[in-house]
Amino acid sequence: MIAEIGKEEQVVTAIAEKYVQAFKEVKPQLVNDYFSPECVKIGFIYDFENDKWLDKSIHNYKEIKQWAATYNLKKIMPNGTCNTTLLDLQDKIAVVKIELEWAPRAWGCDYVSLSKDNGNWLITSIMYQTIV
């Protein structure tokens, strides 16, 4: 039983990391493969130049896919690793925290929620903000 739990933790964490991979490697197909069509991404970006928070940003599945297709075309994402922490894993839901340098000196904290439907884990929502 313990080995089974460890395997499920690895699966959930790997799928959450597909979110980062989709953006970093400019692979919007990963959104098709690992995101629920109902997925929403909600968050806050800090504007360091003007020393203020920007308005809340809300993106649906289609917008997430478009964002993944363009965000890193100019290779702005540094080659560092992302810090991934599985915060909770239940039978049908999970939450993973990801901290990553999304642009030079611009770190973000993302909470990736997943749900298990028909035996498959999918990303269902992402809440994020710039780390100030």
Side-chain angles (χ1 to χ4, degrees):
M1 187 65 139
I2 292 174
E4 189 72 28
I5 293 171
K7 181 180 178 188
E8 195 79 350
E9 290 173 344
Q10 291 174 3
V11 168
V12 166
T13 301
I15 291 173
E17 289 174 350
K18 294 295 183 184
Y19 156 55
V20 173
Q21 185 181 2
F23 278 75
K24 189 169 191 167
E25 297 177 12
V26 191
K27 292 185 176 178
Q29 179 61 37
L30 294 175
V31 176
N32 286 345
D33 297 341
Y34 297 101
F35 285 59
S36 166
E38 295 85 24
C39 187
V40 63
K41 181 175 175 171
I42 301 171
F44 299 89
I45 296 174
Y46 192 79
D47 179 350
F48 287 99
E49 286 183 27
N50 295 305
D51 195 28
K52 69 176 187 172
W53 287 99
L54 301 178
D55 291 337
K56 177 172 51 176
S57 175
I58 303 172
H59 301 277
N60 63 30
Y61 174 85
K62 182 180 177 183
E63 293 166 330
I64 294 167
K65 190 173 174 183
Q66 290 170 343
W67 200 358
T70 60
Y71 181 75
N72 201 33
L73 283 175
K74 294 183 180 179
K75 306 289 185 203
I76 63 168
M77 291 180 75
N79 284 327
T81 60
C82 67
N83 300 316
T84 306
T85 306
L86 178 62
L87 299 178
D88 195 12
L89 173 61
Q90 300 294 323
D91 295 330
K92 302 292 266 176
I93 61 171
V95 178
V96 176
K97 178 181 178 182
I98 294 177
E99 291 179 296
L100 176 73
E101 191 174 14
W102 285 95
R105 295 170 308 284
W107 285 80
C109 176
D110 299 62
Y111 291 92
V112 180
S113 299
L114 301 95
S115 65
K116 190 174 192 179
D117 194 21
N118 295 321
N120 297 313
W121 286 100
L122 292 175
I123 297 170
T124 55
S125 68
I126 300 162
M127 289 187 63
Y128 71 94
Q129 78 160 57
T130 304
I131 298 173
V132 180

